[in-house]
Amino acid sequence: MQARAVTFIAPYAVELREREVPEPREGQLLVRTLYSGISAGTELLAYRGEIDPQLPLDSLISALSARFSYPFHYGYSCVGRVERSPAHVNSVDEGQVVFAFHPHQDLFIVDAADTVALGPVDPRLGTLFPLVETALQITLDAGEVLEQPVVVIGLGAVGILTAALLLRAGARVLAAEPKPWRREAAAEFGISTVLPDNLERSVMATTSDAGVPLVIEVSGDPAALGAALPLLAQEGTALVASWYGARPVTLPLGGEFHRRRLTIRSTQVSTIPTRLAGTWTRDRRRATAARLLGELPLQALATHVFPFDDAAAGYAALARGEPGLLHAAFTYRSSGESRSSSS
């Protein structure tokens, strides 16, 4: 069997190339793709060539075992229909719609363990699954937030989802974002927002100049973390969800950082942190994220769809920050379909 896959061939350059698709072995599924989502974080860094080429794509996902050295296949958010399921692997039947951690490709083999059954969820919205799972992990890493003021910096799709889940956990969330369409989408989730220039003033006004115990940095901007530190209260924590790739980050770690005993900590979705391992597993987190797909107003985030045949246009729109774009996906319907502004 032959398939076509998005192939990263150089910075800011992708093309569709044919790949051989083997027969599914025991424990595998053959999936025909309906939609695949484009990550505005890691995948955009890969498109720009801002990741160490020797870094593995993702050593914990079987379909992403290569490295970020050209040419490579990437992406990790495919939704498709199962065409073949030998012996109905893990009770996954043929015809079922599943999410899979797999690069952008119109037909592929995937380990059943790397899929999530979506049930009645809209397949386009299903491409948001890894973003919901990431936001869930950020919220878990944030710890106890009930009735606590929390600042979220950056309202891309992951930032909005993180702020929304923090609200569900009882936090008093204030988020900063310069782009008006992102602030408008955040409002649909009940998130209070300000412009970045007004953030420190708002934080100090609402905390009587004490600062907040937690800032979550999810903007992807290397300058944002340093600007976030003055917002923290004594012994406060900056939780870094952004991955800056190969871009350098300069931080003001002088007297105030030490005297106020501030903490900078990372959060990442590939693993379950040790302190949560007794109550959370990967399967529990995925099941929770799948349930949240049906509970959150995700339509506000699913703003753009591009034909798979015109994949380069999707990446270019994301890289230039096309107004109104929050989350983009490829559709694998017949070639030549026009791009739409919503799903």
Side-chain angles (χ1 to χ4, degrees), residues 130-210:
L131 307 189
V132 173
E133 187 181 22
T134 297
L136 174 59
Q137 185 58 59
I138 295 169
T139 305
L140 292 173
D141 283 333
E144 178 58 61
V145 295
L146 182 63
E147 289 300 314
Q148 294 293 317
V150 178
V151 167
V152 175
I153 297 177
L155 289 174
V158 173
I160 289 175
L161 290 166
T162 298
L165 295 183
L166 288 167
L167 284 174
R168 288 168 64 109
R172 301 197 302 271
V173 177
L174 179 64
E177 169 57 50
K179 296 177 180 177
W181 62 88
R182 289 182 171 186
R183 296 197 304 273
E184 291 169 7
E188 297 195 33
F189 288 78
I191 300 164
S192 299
T193 64
V194 295
L195 290 167
D197 288 347
N198 298 329
L199 179 58
E200 185 169 4
R201 186 182 311 113
S202 297
V203 167
M204 296 309 166
T206 57
T207 63
S208 300
D209 292 327

Side-chain angles (χ1 to χ4, degrees), residues 45-67:
L45 290 175
Y47 175 69
R48 290 171 170 161
E50 296 176 342
I51 298 179
D52 179 353
Q54 296 307 309
L55 190 70
L57 301 178
D58 192 324
S59 59
L60 298 179
I61 297 175
S62 58
L64 297 173
S65 58
R67 298 182 182 275

Side-chain angles (χ1 to χ4, degrees), residues 293-308:
L293 289 176
E295 297 178 2
L296 297 169
L298 298 180
Q299 191 64 49
L301 304 181
T303 55
H304 286 63
V305 174
F306 296 86
F308 177 60

Side-chain angles (χ1 to χ4, degrees), residues 4 16 306-311 331-340:
R4 294 184 303 156
L16 299 184
F306 296 86
F308 177 60
D309 287 347
D310 197 14
T331 178
Y332 290 71
R333 296 170 184 171
S334 60
S335 61
E337 282 191 337
S338 62
R339 182 179 69 190
S340 67

